[in-house]
Amino acid sequence: MQNKYIIAASVLAADFSKLGKDIENASGADWIHVDVMDGHFVPNITMGPMIVEAIHRSTTLPLDVHLMIEEPEKYLANFAAAGASSLTIHVETSPHLHQTIRLIKNLGLRAAVALNPGTALNTVLEVRDELDMILIMTVNPGFGGQELIKSTIQKVKKLHEILNQGTRKQPLIEVDGGIDSENIAQFANVGANVFVAGSSIFSHVQGIRAGIRDLQDALMPVRE
Ligand code: DX5
Ligand code: ZN
């Protein structure tokens, strides 16, 4: 059965001293989400193509690579070579958004665009037909373990309504930041279909597998 909902486990919350093991335990997720931060666009520095390549060797799951970096166009080919399945660029870092999306597609990858909580939805609508996915940030990017910004539920609802008008191709709607078993269904109910979760998976008291199961169980009542 094809899953209607996709759980993307964010390794930012994993224990990096045993990253391979943590990723193995996250095999019940649908995708592995990798947060790349440069210390410029966001106030944190995380991982680059070398780590993506190591993660790629540790799992058969698709790698959903979230680029929170300035000038992302310079690094797209490196992340593609490292094994990324999808690349997400931020609208705030990409003055030539259409062109950068085309570069991702030309590398044979799924292309996605992310919007910070303070960025208006209309910034992405001009390029929607080029996109496989739109990422609505539900926290300000930079760190895991932050509290959800609740107004983003309405933002997702509005985006879903806009995308639903007409018969055009529907990009997936991904949410990222502060997602847990208490709030995930609220996002599913307003049209989100890809759920990034870091802390609620990797810091779950009963372990990583239980963290993924809790999220899947919370989606059961809304699963069609
Ligand atoms: C935040 C990152 C998220 C982060 C989510 O800037 O984009 O992917 O890992 O972590 P949690 O689920 O802990 O909020
Ligand atoms: Zn992310």
Side-chain angles (χ1 to χ4, degrees):
M1 189 185 87
Q2 174 73 34
N3 275 352
K4 181 178 176 227
Y5 297 116
I6 293 168
I7 306 271
S10 175
V11 294
L12 190 62
D15 179 346
F16 277 71
S17 69
K18 52 181 183 68
L19 187 56
K21 187 79 196 145
D22 274 10
I23 288 172
E24 200 182 305
N25 285 326
S27 62
D30 301 287
W31 296 352
I32 298 294
H33 182 87
V34 187
D35 289 307
V36 179
M37 305 187 189
D38 66 352
H40 290 275
F41 175 56
V42 290
N44 195 7
I45 301 175
T46 57
M47 43 208 147
M50 276 172 64
I51 305 285
V52 173
E53 199 270 327
I55 294 171
H56 186 53
R57 278 188 277 116
S58 313
T59 182
T60 54
L61 294 179
L63 303 188
D64 177 36
V65 177
H66 179 189
L67 299 176
M68 287 159 277
I69 59 176
E70 288 177 3
E71 301 185 292
E73 62 280 358
K74 286 187 181 172
Y75 306 97
L76 301 175
N78 300 66
F79 284 105
S85 303
S86 58
L87 289 176
T88 302
I89 51 167
H90 268 258
V91 66
E92 301 86 0
T93 63
S94 304
H96 304 290
L97 193 59
H98 184 277
Q99 194 174 39
T100 310
I101 293 165
R102 283 282 168 90
L103 291 174
I104 297 173
K105 304 290 276 185
N106 288 343
L107 289 165
L109 305 185
R110 277 195 305 265
V113 163
L115 275 68
N116 280 345
T119 301
L121 285 177
N122 60 15
T123 54
V124 81
L125 297 180
E126 286 299 326
V127 293
R128 62 165 281 191
D129 291 330
E130 308 290 325
L131 291 174
D132 298 291
M133 186 164 77
I134 297 173
L135 167 53
I136 300 296
M137 288 305 302
T138 45
V139 299
N140 284 297
F143 300 93
Q146 299 183 74
E147 194 182 332
L148 173 80
I149 299 171
K150 291 208 174 66
S151 59
T152 57
I153 298 175
Q154 285 308 311
K155 191 177 185 182
V156 170
K157 185 168 190 264
K158 196 167 153 199
L159 175 64
H160 182 246
E161 283 165 4
I162 295 168
L163 296 179
N164 246 342
Q165 289 162 10
T167 53
R168 289 152 78 181
K169 188 188 101 178
Q170 300 268 337
L172 296 169
I173 301 178
E174 181 175 47
V175 289
D176 182 7
I179 301 297
D180 61 24
S181 57
E182 299 292 313
N183 59 38
I184 193 168
Q186 292 178 60
F187 282 100
N189 280 324
V190 292
N193 31 35
V194 183
F195 306 90
V196 178
S199 312
S200 63
I201 291 178
F202 290 96
S203 307
H204 193 283
V205 282
Q206 289 163 322
I208 295 167
R209 288 174 195 277
I212 293 167
R213 257 197 322 270
D214 269 7
L215 295 174
Q216 288 167 336
D217 288 351
L219 285 170
M220 286 293 262
V222 283
R223 198 176 279 274
E224 277 173 6

